[in-house]
Coordinates of all heavy atoms in Angstrom, one line a residue:
V80 N 1.9 84.4 -5.5 CA 3.4 84.6 -5.5 C 3.8 84.8 -4.1 O 3.3 85.6 -3.4 CB 3.8 85.7 -6.4 CG1 5.3 85.9 -6.3 CG2 3.4 85.5 -7.8
V81 N 4.8 84.1 -3.7 CA 5.4 84.2 -2.3 C 6.8 84.8 -2.4 O 7.6 84.3 -3.2 CB 5.5 82.9 -1.6 CG1 6.2 83.0 -0.3 CG2 4.1 82.3 -1.3
Q82 N 7.0 85.9 -1.7 CA 8.4 86.5 -1.7 C 9.2 85.7 -0.7 O 8.9 85.7 0.5 CB 8.3 87.9 -1.2 CG 9.6 88.6 -1.0 CD 10.0 89.4 -2.2 OE1 9.2 89.8 -3.0 NE2 11.3 89.7 -2.4
L83 N 10.2 84.9 -1.1 CA 11.1 84.2 -0.3 C 12.1 85.1 0.3 O 12.9 85.7 -0.4 CB 11.7 83.0 -1.0 CG 10.8 81.9 -1.5 CD1 11.6 80.9 -2.3 CD2 10.0 81.3 -0.4
T84 N 12.1 85.2 1.7 CA 13.1 86.0 2.4 C 14.0 85.1 3.3 O 15.0 85.5 3.7 CB 12.4 87.1 3.2 OG1 11.5 86.4 4.1 CG2 11.6 88.0 2.3
E85 N 13.5 83.9 3.6 CA 14.2 83.0 4.5 C 14.3 81.6 3.9 O 13.8 81.4 2.8 CB 13.6 83.0 5.9 CG 13.6 84.3 6.7 CD 15.1 84.7 7.1 OE1 15.9 83.8 7.3 OE2 15.3 85.9 7.1
H86 N 14.7 80.7 4.6 CA 14.9 79.3 4.1 C 13.9 78.4 4.9 O 14.3 77.3 5.2 CB 16.3 78.9 4.3 CG 17.3 79.7 3.5 ND1 17.3 79.7 2.1 CD2 18.2 80.6 3.9 CE1 18.2 80.6 1.7 NE2 18.8 81.1 2.8
G87 N 12.7 78.8 5.2 CA 11.8 78.0 6.0 C 11.1 77.0 5.0 O 11.5 76.9 3.9
S88 N 10.2 76.2 5.6 CA 9.5 75.2 4.8 C 8.0 75.6 4.7 O 7.4 76.1 5.6 CB 9.5 73.9 5.6 OG 10.8 73.3 5.5
G89 N 7.5 75.4 3.5 CA 6.1 75.7 3.2 C 6.0 76.0 1.8 O 6.9 75.9 1.0
G90 N 4.8 76.3 1.4 CA 4.5 76.6 0.0 C 3.5 77.7 0.0 O 3.0 78.2 1.0
R91 N 3.2 78.1 -1.2 CA 2.3 79.3 -1.4 C 0.9 79.1 -0.8 O 0.3 80.0 -0.3 CB 2.3 79.8 -2.8 CG 1.7 78.8 -3.8 CD 1.9 79.3 -5.3 NE 1.4 78.2 -6.1 CZ 2.3 77.3 -6.7 NH1 3.6 77.4 -6.4 NH2 1.8 76.4 -7.5
N92 N 0.4 77.9 -0.9 CA -0.9 77.6 -0.4 C -0.9 77.5 1.1 O -1.9 78.0 1.7 CB -1.4 76.2 -1.0 CG -1.7 76.4 -2.4 OD1 -2.7 77.0 -2.8 ND2 -0.9 75.8 -3.3
Q93 N 0.1 77.0 1.7 CA 0.2 77.0 3.1 C 0.3 78.4 3.7 O -0.3 78.8 4.6 CB 1.4 76.2 3.6 CG 1.3 74.7 3.3 CD 2.6 74.0 3.3 OE1 3.3 74.0 4.3 NE2 3.0 73.4 2.2
E94 N 1.1 79.3 3.0 CA 1.2 80.7 3.4 C -0.1 81.4 3.2 O -0.4 82.2 4.1 CB 2.4 81.3 2.6 CG 3.7 80.9 3.0 CD 4.8 81.9 2.9 OE1 4.5 83.1 2.7 OE2 6.0 81.6 3.1
L95 N -0.8 81.2 2.2 CA -2.0 81.9 1.9 C -3.0 81.5 3.0 O -3.7 82.4 3.6 CB -2.6 81.5 0.6 CG -3.7 82.4 0.0 CD1 -3.7 82.4 -1.5 CD2 -5.1 81.9 0.5
A96 N -3.2 80.2 3.4 CA -4.1 79.8 4.4 C -3.7 80.4 5.7 O -4.5 81.0 6.5 CB -4.1 78.3 4.5
L97 N -2.4 80.3 6.1 CA -1.9 80.9 7.3 C -2.1 82.4 7.4 O -2.5 82.9 8.5 CB -0.5 80.5 7.5 CG 0.1 80.9 8.9 CD1 -0.6 80.1 10.0 CD2 1.6 80.6 8.9
A98 N -1.9 83.1 6.3 CA -2.1 84.5 6.3 C -3.6 84.9 6.6 O -3.8 86.0 7.2 CB -1.7 85.1 5.0
A99 N -4.5 84.0 6.3 CA -5.9 84.3 6.6 C -6.3 84.0 8.0 O -7.4 84.5 8.5 CB -6.8 83.5 5.6
A100 N -5.5 83.3 8.7 CA -5.9 82.8 10.1 C -6.2 83.9 11.1 O -7.2 83.8 11.8 CB -4.8 81.8 10.6
E101 N -5.4 84.9 11.1 CA -5.7 86.0 12.1 C -7.0 86.7 11.8 O -7.7 87.1 12.7 CB -4.5 86.9 12.1 CG -4.6 88.0 13.2 CD -3.4 88.8 13.4 OE1 -2.5 88.7 12.5 OE2 -3.4 89.6 14.3
G102 N -7.2 86.9 10.5 CA -8.4 87.6 10.1 C -9.7 86.9 10.3 O -10.8 87.5 10.5
I103 N -9.7 85.6 10.4 CA -10.9 84.8 10.7 C -11.0 84.3 12.1 O -11.9 83.6 12.5 CB -11.1 83.6 9.7 CG1 -10.1 82.6 9.9 CG2 -11.2 84.2 8.3 CD1 -10.4 81.3 9.2
A104 N -10.0 84.7 13.0 CA -10.0 84.3 14.4 C -11.4 84.7 15.0 O -11.8 85.9 14.9 CB -8.9 84.9 15.1
G105 N -12.0 83.8 15.6 CA -13.3 84.1 16.3 C -14.5 84.0 15.5 O -15.6 84.0 16.0
L106 N -14.4 83.8 14.2 CA -15.6 83.6 13.3 C -15.9 82.2 13.3 O -15.3 81.3 12.7 CB -15.3 84.1 11.9 CG -15.0 85.6 11.7 CD1 -14.7 85.9 10.2 CD2 -16.2 86.4 12.1
D107 N -16.9 81.8 14.1 CA -17.2 80.4 14.4 C -17.8 79.6 13.2 O -17.9 78.4 13.3 CB -18.1 80.3 15.6 CG -19.4 80.9 15.4 OD1 -19.7 81.6 14.4 OD2 -20.3 80.7 16.3
N108 N -18.1 80.3 12.1 CA -18.7 79.6 11.0 C -17.9 79.6 9.7 O -18.4 79.4 8.7 CB -20.1 80.2 10.8 CG -20.1 81.6 10.4 OD1 -19.1 82.3 10.8 ND2 -21.1 82.1 9.8
V109 N -16.6 79.9 9.9 CA -15.7 80.1 8.7 C -14.6 79.1 8.7 O -14.0 78.8 9.7 CB -15.2 81.6 8.7 CG1 -14.2 81.8 7.6 CG2 -16.3 82.6 8.6
L110 N -14.3 78.6 7.5 CA -13.2 77.7 7.2 C -12.5 78.1 5.9 O -13.2 78.4 4.9 CB -13.7 76.3 7.1 CG -12.6 75.2 6.9 CD1 -12.0 74.8 8.2 CD2 -13.3 74.0 6.3
I111 N -11.2 78.2 5.9 CA -10.5 78.5 4.6 C -9.4 77.5 4.4 O -8.7 77.1 5.3 CB -9.8 79.9 4.7 CG1 -10.9 81.0 4.8 CG2 -8.9 80.2 3.5 CD1 -10.4 82.4 5.0
F112 N -9.4 77.0 3.1 CA -8.2 76.1 2.8 C -7.8 76.5 1.4 O -8.5 77.0 0.5 CB -8.6 74.7 2.9 CG -9.6 74.1 2.0 CD1 -9.3 73.6 0.8 CD2 -11.0 74.1 2.5 CE1 -10.3 73.0 0.0 CE2 -12.0 73.6 1.7 CZ -11.7 73.0 0.4
S113 N -6.5 76.2 1.1 CA -5.9 76.4 -0.1 C -5.0 75.2 -0.5 O -4.2 74.8 0.4 CB -5.1 77.7 -0.1 OG -4.6 78.0 -1.4
V114 N -5.1 74.7 -1.7 CA -4.4 73.5 -2.1 C -3.9 73.6 -3.5 O -4.4 74.4 -4.3 CB -5.3 72.2 -2.0 CG1 -5.7 72.0 -0.6 CG2 -6.5 72.4 -2.9
A115 N -2.8 72.9 -3.8 CA -2.2 72.8 -5.1 C -2.8 71.6 -5.8 O -2.9 70.5 -5.2 CB -0.7 72.7 -5.0
S116 N -3.2 71.7 -7.0 CA -3.9 70.6 -7.7 C -3.0 69.4 -8.0 O -3.5 68.3 -8.2 CB -4.5 71.1 -9.0 OG -3.5 71.5 -9.9
D117 N -1.7 69.6 -8.0 CA -0.8 68.5 -8.3 C -0.4 67.7 -7.1 O 0.3 66.7 -7.2 CB 0.5 69.0 -9.0 CG 1.3 69.9 -8.2 OD1 0.9 70.3 -7.0 OD2 2.4 70.3 -8.7
G118 N -0.9 68.1 -5.9 CA -0.6 67.4 -4.7 C 0.6 67.7 -3.9 O 0.9 67.1 -2.9
T119 N 1.4 68.8 -4.4 CA 2.5 69.2 -3.7 C 2.5 70.7 -3.6 O 2.2 71.4 -4.6 CB 3.8 68.8 -4.4 OG1 3.9 69.3 -5.7 CG2 4.0 67.2 -4.4
D120 N 2.9 71.2 -2.5 CA 3.0 72.7 -2.2 C 4.4 73.0 -1.7 O 4.7 72.6 -0.6 CB 1.9 73.1 -1.2 CG 1.8 74.6 -1.1 OD1 2.0 75.3 -2.0 OD2 1.4 75.0 0.1
G121 N 5.1 73.7 -2.6 CA 6.5 73.9 -2.2 C 7.3 72.6 -2.2 O 7.0 71.7 -2.8

């Protein structure tokens, strides 16, 4: 669930992936992705 506070562009999967980016910064062997099964995110 994403709390919408502004009128930006994105979807819950994009936000989830982006939220993890700072936490995995520098971990050279880690990759995270999140996708919607229907092919559309937001």
